[in-house]
Amino acid sequence: MTSVDVAVVGGGQAGLAASAELMRAGVEHVVLERGRVGETWRGRWDSFCLVTPNWSVRLPGYPYDGSDPDGYMPRDEIVAYLERYAAACAAPVREWVDVRSIAREDDGFVLDTTAGGLAASTVVVATGAYQRPHRPAAAASLPPDLLQLDAEGYTSERSLPPGRVLVVGSGQSGCQIAEELVEAGRDVVLACGRAPWAPRSVAGRDLIWWAVETGYMDVAVDALPDPAARLWGNVLATGHGGGHDLDLRTLQRSGVTLAGRFLGADGGRARFADDLAESVAWGDERYRQFAGLVHGLAAERGLGPIALGEPPRFEAKPPRHLDLATVGAVVFTCGFRPDYSSWLPWPEAFDDLGFPVHDDGASRAVPGLYFVGVHFLRTRKSSLLLGVGEDAALVAGAIARRLGAARPG
Ligand SMILES: Cc1cc2nc3c(=O)[nH]c(=O)nc-3n(C[C@H](O)[C@H](O)[C@H](O)COP(=O)(O)OP(=O)(O)OC[C@H]3O[C@@H](n4cnc5c(N)ncnc54)[C@H](O)[C@@H]3O)c2cc1C
């Protein structure tokens, strides 16, 4: 069995950022990636692009290096950027190595991997911010012969059989996929839940600029109304086609049929709750809160008048049922859940929702175990290309101090 000081599990942006910071701190480590660098991004749908602008890509030592800082990188450019990042940092990545399990041994860990055993005194888990696609229990009532996909399984409109498409879940992914499908001429029904929304651009500046400058991105879990608010959708917007507004109203205008929450299927029909207006009102309330932050910042910095008024009136006659014989496919875009506890043997290291219990990324229950890239690890931006570097630096610093303290002399 080989051994190393630190094993970083996962070669996405979080694992690479941790590697860059460990390198800077002179800590011996290896990054184990079950696929290729940026594997998760590679698996996103064909027309996928960032929602956050390129200028907000701030990985340690390697900010966005392209010619379009105000654009939104498409999938393959994100992957190419991460590959350049790994090369520029000389990150010691071992691709195609799957970590099947990790066990405690003496003061350290033993990793069981597809390339053999590895002993490490410290483990950094960077296995993804959005791990297990969530499907509501009601999904089980759909006929098994009807094509059902998660966003991960969706590639493009052309890959779907003919017929209507029922998209279940109206977060960023669901809205983007619904928009793409309706633009391709599909009849789309979107079963809506709740999500915040905001205009793509306010007073000539991108919504993410306002989110950064107002401190919205720095909100920590403790400041959320409830820890479960970590599972809320992100602010609706899209970077597609150079970026534009995307929310339930824009989708309705483009011909998407909006329905309430998906309740299940019986007698060949899908059923929807009578809660669309409530969900829109919930999103509008989050919009007002965001607008309040923007107005506050604009007043503080003398940024001039900001045209963020009341949301337009919303009217709809949402269907309560849908004949499934007219539906060619169902795409589930209902968010994600953490999946650490399915393969890490320390239930005490995770809270009720499955998120790590930690101090600045250091597990409280398991000494030597660290996390990077968790949604809301420290703040709202922790899982983003914007903010993961800040957390990675703290984790690498803590590891360097811990290893230094453990070494004789
Ligand atoms: C649809 C969607 C859109 C997003 N858009 C944006 C955006 O516009 N801007 C932004 O900043 N963020 C965005 N994010 C959030 C975030 O940036 C991404 O989720 C990003 O992929 C997270 O990077 P990561 O390194 O934490 O995780 P991942 O990219 O998921 O990387 C984790 C890696 O770990 C590997 N791995 C997992 N388990 C093991 C194991 N046991 N052994 C070995 N390897 C393993 C995986 O193969 C993977 O490569 C988006 C997320 C989603 C879901």
Side-chain angles (χ1 to χ4, degrees), residues 10 12-14 33-34 40 44 51-52 99 128 130 173 383-385:
Q13 73 219 21
E33 166 55 53
R34 63 156 65 120
T40 306
R44 292 189 171 134
V51 173
T52 51
V99 179
Y130 297 93
S173 298
S383 61
L384 302 180
L385 289 152

